[in-house]
Amino acid sequence: MISRSVCIIDPDKNYASIIEALLSRSLPQRYTITSHHQTLDHLKRLKDENPDIVLLEISLFDHSYEHAISEIKRLLPSTNLVVLTSQFNSDIV
């Protein structure tokens, strides 16, 4: 079975730890958390990391998430991007 590398971008360390624990316990052979970034300042590092999947929490980034999504897709066009949010604002979703 192929393991997929996962990067988490979330300013909340506790929330990111919960996501990491869930993936590690549920599907340890399928997903490996390779990095966790708390800010969007590290987007250029993603190109070097080249994760298979990026989990991006957008609810705490105000409107800069639009830039983050565009930049991630520009840097890593074949990386799968999963957007996480606790927002109920339909404009954001």
Side-chain angles (χ1 to χ4, degrees):
M1 183 174 296
I2 298 172
S3 179
R4 304 281 182 194
S5 60
V6 178
C7 169
I8 300 172
I9 302 175
D10 190 318
D12 185 339
K13 271 183 147 177
N14 292 329
Y15 186 69
S17 295
I18 291 168
I19 293 170
E20 183 173 352
L22 287 171
L23 286 174
S24 297
R25 274 191 228 136
S26 302
L27 302 162
Q29 296 84 18
R30 296 190 75 188
Y31 300 101
T32 303
I33 307 300
T34 55
S35 62
H36 169 233
H37 302 287
Q38 289 185 279
T39 68
L40 299 174
D41 298 335
H42 304 288
L43 289 178
K44 292 192 172 144
R45 279 194 211 166
L46 286 179
K47 188 163 183 149
D48 294 332
E49 294 170 7
N50 197 24
D52 297 309
I53 302 167
V54 171
L55 301 178
L56 174 66
E57 167 56 66
I58 62 168
S59 63
L60 300 175
F61 288 119
D62 297 324
H63 291 288
S64 59
Y65 65 85
E66 295 170 344
H67 168 72
I69 292 169
S70 297
E71 195 64 14
I72 290 167
K73 291 314 287 179
R74 184 185 71 75
L75 291 171
L76 301 162
S78 62
T79 294
N80 292 301
L81 178 61
V82 177
V83 175
L84 307 172
T85 186
S86 57
Q87 293 290 318
F88 294 104
N89 182 338
S90 62
D91 292 338
I92 291 174
V93 176

